[in-house]
Amino acid sequence: MTQYTYGTALREGFRHLLANHKDVFAIGQGLWSPWYVGSSMKDLDKEFGKDRVIDTPVSEAATTGLAAGSGLCNYRPIVIHPRMDFMVLAADPMVNQAAKWSHMLGGQAHPAVTIRGIINRGGQQGAQHSQALHSWYAHIPGLKVVMPATVADARDLLIASTLCDDPVLFIDDRWLYDQTDELPDSKDVSLHDIKPQVLREGSEITLVGAGHATLLNLKAAEMLKQGGLDAEVIDLRVINPLEYDTVVESVKKTGRLLVTDGSWETCGLAGEIIAGATERVPLNHFKCNPVRMSLPHAPAPTSGPLEEVYYYNEEDIVQRVHDMMNGRVKAKGPSSFEMTL
Amino acid sequence: MFTETLELGKLADPAEFREKLNIAGEDPTLLKEELRMMTLIRKAEEKIGDMINEGQIQCPCHLTIGQEAIAAGVARHLRKTDRAFGTHRSHGHYLAPGNSVHGLFAEILGKATGCSKGMGGSMHLYGGESGFVGSVPIVAGTVSMAVGGGLAAKMDNKQENGKNSWDVGVTYFGDGAAEEGSVHESLNFASVFKIPVLFVCENNLFSSHLHINYRQSNDLVSRFAMAHNVNYRVVDGNDVVAVAKATKELLDVARAGEGPGFLEVVTYRWRGHVGPREDIDVGLKRGEELQHWKLRDPIKRLFEALEAEGHMSEKDFAALNEDVATEVNKAWEQAEKDPYPETSQLLTAVYATPKGGH
Ligand SMILES: Cc1ncc(C[n+]2csc(CCOP(=O)(O)OP(=O)(O)O)c2C)c(N)n1
């Protein structure tokens, strides 16, 4: 067993792939920089050469498109977008191209490309350096979307995504990088085997999330335990395609569902999970209405005190759980429609 | 100056262009104002750098120290009705047309009195009254938007003495931005539709940690203007006179309705990509080169010219520096005292409605 942080586990995933799979290469902005992607790719260019670990011009669209093209021609590129906001410039190669090729060409052409989009927010960086756009991409048939929350998954889902023949969006979050864990040696992993997992068993309420939201849920569950409340925590891991069985089984048991999401509410992941669960769990199992927690309906502010209230934390989750247990879920804030009135 | 070869040549060589500026035929009063503006930009940013080091500033700040002549020189020929757009590195672009230092500092501190009401920080500055429509950090994001500002000005069709006297769009961007596809689409568009827009490419040879030699086949970004039949000039970006002169030549054409202009201004940033460090350990040759580039100081070279022509003494220059330092310190102290926005402001400006819209 070796001690890793989430950041160094990512690096170990890259190392495993580059060392064992000749068809893998990594390409993206900052790969030769000492600071761009934190500890997650440090010195890979020195270890594997600048031909396989490629720093690029400021050209997200072309970089992603060419990776999708190489992915159709016997390679398994991993494109790195140091910030998900910049990845928006690469929407065409991801959404119109990579996601569609298999289906529109009769299942005969598979761009085996992994696109790593990093959620990197906080620190008063503001609206164009803060977005968590996973729900957008999870909307697209043909584009798998994974969100590792744990140290083990940082490494193993990167390996699984890269070895998958489909285009995969792999989303990690800088707020997770300091998590630590001991891991066994790395090995090849199949994305097909990856399903939502119960990270903590409980009987009174089900907390569901993905990525950083899972970490908050785990912290909240620990706090709830101190107060004598038994919460089950489910980490979704793969948000497209979505497997509902794990959530459904849990909600049948607990009768309460709280979904937390690190992004906005409208047409988002939290609403999707609640919809999917309520379609599948008989209504008489529910002891209260399902609840979702997400960001305020606004871009990220920079001002310190506003940023402070913009992001919720584990204590806010605990508070919401207590409200649910006591049957006094407060009325929500203004809807996006009301804000324009 | 037109370059014949597709390379910057001397312009990228820090051993060149160190002597005092040539100010023959220039208005000394105007030059002194520009000297003051450049000093203000530098001192304001030195203050920002110090305050980052002291832990007073949290938001990321990209400093333009060393590149001050560009904002000052371009601004000389801009109107308040023009539409200028900036980038992540836009403190100078914001200050040059006369926006307040206090508004900048308060914005960086996230105060309600900031130029964007504390919602944007260093990378999102607003100065609409001065013709500075806004700056944002998505690289190349505003280039096409400035073409849109120019298109709107073309539709306005402003006339003077029976001739076109169009307002213009202005887009400041770096050599790195030229690697984004939308810059090329914008050049083509502006050229075909003869849109009055000035593309100002601040070629400081770096994008983050990477020297241009690693990112482009050649260091002359204007080759893209040539490809689209856009008028271009390539000048020493650390020479406010040369910048202003080239700006005027290009703007005269654009305002007359005869097509856009591309101004490539060659320069170097003295600090790291972000924050106050010099980053001499980062990137190709930077450690060596920076010391040389500091000798191509846009402020010192202008002062030396003014001094040589008898328009300014050492003593005058010291007084100017002191005066600017006082202005900067006062602005900082005020910004520190100012209030933060109410948390309700988080939700009030997301849409124009109901305040401004239908
Ligand atoms: C679309 C996009 N991609 C990447 C970045 C990250 N980034 C911020 S500034 C920068 C460097 C840009 O270099 P240049 O345009 O030359 O401007 P300079 O920093 O030299 O002023 C990069 C790559 C970004 N902000 N937006």
Side-chain angles (χ1 to χ4, degrees), chain B residues 4 12 22 43 76-77 82 104 118 136 150 158 167 169 197-198 217 231 241 250 289 310 312 314 320 336 338:
Chain B
E4 301 302 335
N22 177 1
K43 287 203 180 299
R76 186 195 291 185
H77 298 292
D82 289 330
L104 173 65
V136 296
K158 200 178 265 183
D167 291 330
V197 57
L198 181 65
S217 58
N231 282 316
V241 175
L250 293 168
E289 276 192 350
M312 201 177 217
E314 284 275 1
L320 180 151
E336 270 191 316
D338 288 346

Side-chain angles (χ1 to χ4, degrees), chain A residues 29 36 60 86, chain B residues 88-89 137 139 174-177 204 206-207 273:
Chain A
Q29 280 170 51
Y36 240 71
E60 290 81 6
F86 310 158
Chain B
H88 56 291
R89 197 180 305 288
V139 167
D175 45 293
N204 62 14
F206 274 87
S207 165
H273 169 61

Side-chain angles (χ1 to χ4, degrees), chain B residues 143-180:
Chain B
V143 175
S144 56
M145 297 172 85
V147 176
L151 176 62
K154 179 181 175 183
M155 289 174 169
D156 289 348
N157 191 22
K158 200 178 265 183
Q159 300 288 306
E160 221 177 85
N161 305 324
K163 286 202 184 115
N164 288 343
S165 177
W166 293 353
D167 291 330
V168 296
V170 179
T171 167
Y172 296 98
F173 59 98
D175 45 293
E179 291 147 25
E180 296 284 13

Side-chain angles (χ1 to χ4, degrees), chain A residues 289-312:
Chain A
N289 286 358
V291 171
R292 55 187 156 163
M293 287 182 76
S294 51
L295 298 182
H297 186 75
T302 50
S303 185
L306 298 195
E307 194 176 54
E308 188 76 25
V309 295
Y310 185 73
Y311 296 109
Y312 61 84

Side-chain angles (χ1 to χ4, degrees), chain B residues 149-257:
Chain B
L151 176 62
K154 179 181 175 183
M155 289 174 169
D156 289 348
N157 191 22
K158 200 178 265 183
Q159 300 288 306
E160 221 177 85
N161 305 324
K163 286 202 184 115
N164 288 343
S165 177
W166 293 353
D167 291 330
V168 296
V170 179
T171 167
Y172 296 98
F173 59 98
D175 45 293
E179 291 147 25
E180 296 284 13
S182 73
V183 171
H184 304 270
E185 297 174 26
S186 298
L187 281 166
N188 178 53
F189 203 104
S191 181
V192 171
F193 288 87
K194 291 199 187 318
I195 292 175
V197 57
L198 181 65
F199 296 86
V200 183
C201 179
E202 298 193 33
N203 187 346
N204 62 14
L205 307 175
F206 274 87
S207 165
S208 175
H209 58 294
L210 279 190
H211 191 272
I212 193 166
N213 289 350
Y214 284 121
R215 300 176 285 113
Q216 296 186 31
S217 58
N218 138 0
D219 61 6
L220 180 83
V221 180
S222 300
R223 66 192 189 279
F224 300 125
M226 297 177 205
H228 292 289
N229 294 318
V230 171
N231 282 316
Y232 69 95
R233 294 283 184 282
V234 192
V235 301
D236 172 15
N238 291 12
D239 177 343
V240 72
V241 175
V243 172
K245 183 164 168 278
T247 300
K248 174 149 189 352
E249 289 166 3
L250 293 168
L251 284 185
D252 283 349
V253 176
R255 294 197 195 283

